[in-house]
Amino acid sequence: RPRRAARRSLAARRPSPRNASAAPPGLQDALLLLDPEARSVLGWWALPTVYLHDSVLSGSDLFSVDTDSGRVLRFRVSAGTAAAPMPPSALPLSEGGWAAVEHVRSYESSGAPRAAHANGLTLGLGRLWVMHNNLASRSAVQLVDAASGALGARLPLGGANCHSPLFYRGRLLYLLSASGGLGRLHPNGTSDTLWAAGARYF
């Protein structure tokens, strides 16, 4: 049987439910640890973000976009047996052992975080490709060096209100949400629209 739900916090607060688009003072985002077979929550890690919009797991690293600050936070995900030393953030697993999440560094992606409205990312070529939705303005992808954190090129996309960048067959695909479409970024910096269903299919 799964053990009683436990908790660990990177910011020492129990998360409270809220709408993803709101950021009331004093509330925090959280990463849940679920047991899918038991359909239970084993615990959570409170995250040092205000408006968590997207997270991507790459190997043992989890990258999370905080839209409020424009930062990307990098966490190290680890697991061990019951006999192994447990880090402070460890949560017990129902089958024995533990899992832990530790914040290791942050990346700046924008000098104007709220205006950029960073809402997603993907990884490739040693860089973070951070989606700057820019709300009503034309969206762009901001490159950030994964090792140094230095800002690289900023690549305009094919429209406003874009989401969910993803590499596929050597090209960067993304959602053109304003037109219910799928865009593709080419190596020369140009974009084309692969498909569009219309604005009501956001």
Side-chain angles (χ1 to χ4, degrees):
R1 298 180 58 185
R3 300 183 183 182
R4 182 175 60 88
R7 67 176 178 176
R8 290 292 185 275
S9 173
L10 297 179
R13 274 187 65 90
R14 177 174 181 169
S16 300
R18 65 172 172 83
N19 182 278
S21 297
L27 300 185
Q28 289 180 289
D29 298 303
L31 180 67
L32 301 182
L33 179 63
L34 306 177
D35 184 333
E37 292 186 3
R39 297 185 179 181
S40 64
V41 178
L42 299 180
W44 60 84
W45 295 275
L47 302 179
T49 57
V50 177
Y51 182 179
L52 179 65
H53 213 127
D54 191 20
S55 291
V56 173
L57 184 65
S58 177
S60 60
D61 288 338
L62 179 72
F63 297 84
S64 297
V65 180
D66 183 16
T67 301
D68 190 73
S69 66
R71 296 189 182 97
V72 176
L73 286 74
R74 186 173 185 169
F75 301 93
R76 184 64 41 78
V77 180
S78 59
T81 65
M86 295 173 59
S89 69
L91 291 172
L93 301 176
S94 54
E95 67 273 17
W98 51 265
V101 174
E102 302 287 341
H103 180 216
V104 293
R105 71 170 297 175
S106 297
Y107 301 88
E108 298 287 345
S109 82
S110 171
R114 288 183 180 270
H117 197 79
N119 68 0
L121 82 157
T122 191
L123 305 168
L125 304 175
R127 294 169 177 82
L128 283 61
W129 299 64
V130 184
M131 176 66 76
H132 284 184
N133 177 281
N134 294 329
L135 300 176
S137 301
R138 188 178 183 184
S139 298
V141 169
Q142 174 65 59
L143 273 60
V144 183
D145 189 278
S148 68
L151 295 180
R154 185 177 182 273
L155 307 173
L157 299 178
N161 206 4
C162 296
H163 294 80
S164 306
L166 175 69
F167 276 105
Y168 179 72
R169 294 186 177 180
R171 298 291 186 268
L172 185 76
L173 305 183
Y174 57 91
L175 297 180
L176 288 157
S177 299
S179 61
L182 180 66
R184 176 174 56 185
L185 178 67
H186 295 280
N188 64 3
T190 63
S191 283
D192 59 0
T193 299
L194 298 176
W195 175 81
R200 68 185 186 134
Y201 294 96
F202 179 87

